[in-house]
């Protein structure tokens, strides 16, 4: 009987420690929703953005992505963002999907406009710039020749042009 009681107590302690660790990890991750208002924006390509991605103004986190859906009429990605209640966003602001570095996580960068009217709950950002696909850009560069003309004589053409423009040598 004593053995079963000891095992039960140890199991309860393990579950308590796991619960404390889970609560600590949740608070530290900053994934939870803030109090605030919802705005949305349409993007042609929202790759790299997921629920909980940061929304930043000037590099400062002001909200999180709270929803992603596909517009069935235009096939655009509609991104809903929950902005903190202390941050006011002008109506003519723009939203861009940018990367934190060359291979870093993607987030939504809001660039405030100059309008005196602010977006309200349910407002829509009209000016957007979609995500840049790094792999597609590298592929275009590689398969387009990378700056060399199709005949492969870019160096020869530059040399012959330089020879024409050079002054004639005196005898």
């Amino acid at each position: 009987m004593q053995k079963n009681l000891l095992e039960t107590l140890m199991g309860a302690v393990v579950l308590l420690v796991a619960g404390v660790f889970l609560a600590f990890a949740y608070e530290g991750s900053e994934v939870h929703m803030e109090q605030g208002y919802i705005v949305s924006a349409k993007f042609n390509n929202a790759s790299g953005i997921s629920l909980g991605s940061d929304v930043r103004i000037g590099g400062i986190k002001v909200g999180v992505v709270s929803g992603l859906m596909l517009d069935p009429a235009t096939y655009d990605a509609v991104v809903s963002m929950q902005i903190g209640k202390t941050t006011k966003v002008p109506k003519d602001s723009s939203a861009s999907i940018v990367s934190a570095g060359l291979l870093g996580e993607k987030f939504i960068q809001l660039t405030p406009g100059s309008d005196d009217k602010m977006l309200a709950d349910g407002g829509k950002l009209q000016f957007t710039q979609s995500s840049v696909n790094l792999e597609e850009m590298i592929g275009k560069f590689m398969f387009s020749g990378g700056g060399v003309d199709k005949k492969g004589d870019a160096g020869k053409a530059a040399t012959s042009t330089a020879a024409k423009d050079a002054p004639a040598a005196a005898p």
Side-chain angles (χ1 to χ4, degrees), residues 104-171:
E105 67 176 338
K106 292 194 176 181
F107 62 92
I108 296 183
Q109 177 69 39
L110 298 180
T111 304
S114 58
D115 198 342
D116 292 334
K117 297 178 183 170
M118 301 296 161
L119 286 170
D121 192 24
K124 296 183 184 342
L125 290 164
Q126 300 298 320
F127 308 108
T128 61
Q129 182 177 354
S130 294
S131 177
V132 176
N133 189 339
L134 184 63
E135 293 86 7
E136 186 178 313
M137 287 177 55
I138 291 171
K140 283 182 182 178
F141 180 77
M142 287 177 55
F143 295 116
S144 70
V148 178
D149 67 353
K150 298 290 182 194
K151 295 178 187 172
D153 58 359
K156 197 185 320 177
T159 307
S160 65
T161 305
K164 284 183 197 174
D165 294 339

Side-chain angles (χ1 to χ4, degrees), residues 40-43 46 67-72 74 76-80 124:
S40 64
K42 285 186 178 184
F43 295 94
L68 295 165
M69 62 179 266
L70 185 68
D71 183 348
T74 62
D76 286 338
V78 179
V79 178
S80 298
K124 296 183 184 342

